[in-house]
Amino acid sequence: MCLAAIESRREGPRGRRFDNGSAQMTTKTDPIDTAVAAVRAGADGWVRTPLSQRRDLLTKINALTAAHAEEWVRTAATIKGLAADSLLLGEEWMSGPYSVLTATAALAETVGALAEGRSPVDGFTIVDAPGNRSAVKVLPHGIFDALLLNGFTAEVWTTPGVDASQVRAKAGLAQRDPTTSNGVGAVLGAGNIFSIAPLDVLYQLFAYNRTVVLKLNPITDALLPVLEKIFAPAIAQGWVAIVTGGADVGKALVEHPDITAIHMTGSEITHDAIVFGTGEEGARRKAANEPLIDKPITSELGGISPTIVVPGTWSDADLKFQARHVATQRLHNNGYNCVAAQVVVISADWDQKSAFLAELRAAFADAPARPDYYPGSAARVAAAKQAYPQAESFGRNGDRTLVPGVRVGADEHALHTEYFAPVLGVIELPGTGTEFLRTAVRTANEEFHGTLGVNILVHPKTIRALGGGLDEAIAELRYGTIAVNAWTAVGYLTATASWGAFPGHTLDDVQSGIGVVHNALLIDNPERTVIRGPFRPAPRAIFNGEFTLSPVPPWFVTNRTAPTTGRRLTEFAAAPGWGKLPALFASALRG
């Protein structure tokens, strides 16, 4: 879930010392030099820190995240202009402290397993996946997963040629040799989903064995005190430093001679500006693949995410629920998610096409209003409306936009321009059944820019009718996360899942980025995560032959108890226990 890391030109605070002092810096270069020097010195201590103490560090960060979760969400609401009683605060609980709590807990288990001489994937089922791949079943894992996310599953598929024994032997990445330092990493933080930056810091520390300087996106400057409290044990040791500022600070950080690697979450435009420069010279360098920076660069850059709606025979309740599902995929966080669905792919020959689109329009009209806090949103909505005169507007400000009539083509705006705003296109393809699914997969692979995530909505009866067709489609899709009857964001929320673009992008054709993050089991060579969820919510699912206890998911934009459920999920993640389940279930079932 991305956003431009340093593209904002607004200047923020100039930064702080990270030598356990608190003096405010006043020059543009001193904060970077100070921060980099601190974590460069701290790198020596990091490689001398045994795995047992690293596990303790994660436990401390976990406890501090829980202690400051309320402050985190309150600050997030201020940044995004949400009222204290807004139903949308559930998004901030789940995509904020909850995500860091589950990640630190899962990483602590991984590091603990390595400290005891075990593989992090011990206890996880590994099965064969299509194309000579292996799949690690990461969700559910344990009784609480099975209860809280009942009906949802997740698998991490490896690249071809990796068998189960290799998965077990290589899981742990750099923590298998923690005494070898990989230098100092720079993380250019995102400004849309507030757990992205801290999760990226953790991945640099543990997957790569690097100490880290995090540069916050200016949008998130107000979170600096919260993040400093959460990472206090690592900051005190010189393992993490946090700086703020505008594009000039980001540029100084990535160009600093003591920074050995870079990770960014942002736009492809920002990535290319960092790697190749701007203007005509930057374009020339990109065409010649002559990067300005000779350092490893990993990235998560978003893209154009499709939602494929496979035609079938749906009830009125199915049409309404799945239309709200698609609306959530676009309107969660007002569309400021790099894995937000941008184009719905439907069958032109589906006899329920008009009924589904009517429900989708209703879902757009009924979605809660929210501020367009992310810079440039209104301009991007306007650009979409200019490209598509047939665009339909919804909501008090008319910013929620549905664009029917998107077509396949190299110059098609909606297929090649990430809107990062509440704009959803609709493209119609011919056929039904296997014919439609194959056409939709081919279109998603060849016509959509980016490979971060794709969603497939398909009725259980249609799955049975397709035979092995759905599994073939999943294997054929070239996306980093594939969700069947779920939103790919479930993969983001699953700490043990991998998150990132499909492998194979290069600096001069980066699309959705290079490398993965999250991946708390530290699996080597992950290719994709495959999520599956229930087509219907409980109890209706049970009445129709699907076994799931999952009600309307708390991340749905229409969920009426999302703030309470999100808070209780966060409290449960901080200290899991049977006694917390009744209140949590009660809130979830009322959603």
Side-chain angles (χ1 to χ4, degrees), residues 295-378:
K295 301 174 183 178
I297 301 175
T298 55
S299 53
E300 193 264 82
L301 305 175
I304 315 303
S305 292
T307 292
I308 299 170
V309 179
V310 182
T313 302
W314 295 13
S315 69
D316 290 345
D318 295 338
L319 291 166
K320 183 183 291 291
F321 177 78
Q322 291 300 347
R324 292 180 176 182
H325 195 178
V326 173
T328 290
Q329 293 172 7
R330 178 72 263 183
L331 298 178
H332 181 282
N333 198 32
N334 210 36
Y336 311 140
N337 294 331
C338 55
V339 78
Q342 181 156 308
V343 178
V344 181
V345 183
I346 64 173
S347 168
D349 302 316
W350 186 23
D351 58 6
Q352 292 183 290
K353 176 187 69 175
S354 296
F356 175 75
L357 291 177
E359 290 290 356
L360 187 56
R361 290 183 174 96
F364 259 57
D366 295 342
R370 65 174 89 209
D372 57 346
Y373 74 91
Y374 190 71
S377 178

Side-chain angles (χ1 to χ4, degrees), residues 222-277:
L223 275 172
L224 176 63
V226 178
L227 295 177
E228 286 182 324
K229 294 170 186 174
I230 289 171
F231 281 103
I235 292 172
Q237 296 292 330
W239 299 334
V240 173
I242 310 175
V243 298
T244 62
D248 59 328
V249 175
K251 184 175 186 295
L253 178 61
V254 300
E255 294 178 352
H256 196 286
D258 289 335
I259 291 293
T260 57
I262 300 162
H263 178 79
M264 65 165 290
T265 304
S267 71
E268 186 175 357
I269 293 173
T270 302
H271 171 273
D272 288 350
I274 292 170
V275 175
F276 298 108

Side-chain angles (χ1 to χ4, degrees), residues 159-174:
T159 52
V162 178
D163 62 27
S165 63
Q166 291 172 309
V167 173
R168 292 188 181 91
K170 294 184 178 181
L173 298 179

Side-chain angles (χ1 to χ4, degrees), residues 130-131 133 157 470-478 482 527-528:
R133 298 173 172 92
W157 290 18
L470 179 60
D471 290 337
E472 291 174 6
I474 293 170
E476 186 69 20
L477 282 163
R478 298 191 295 270
I482 300 166
E527 181 186 66
R528 70 183 83 188

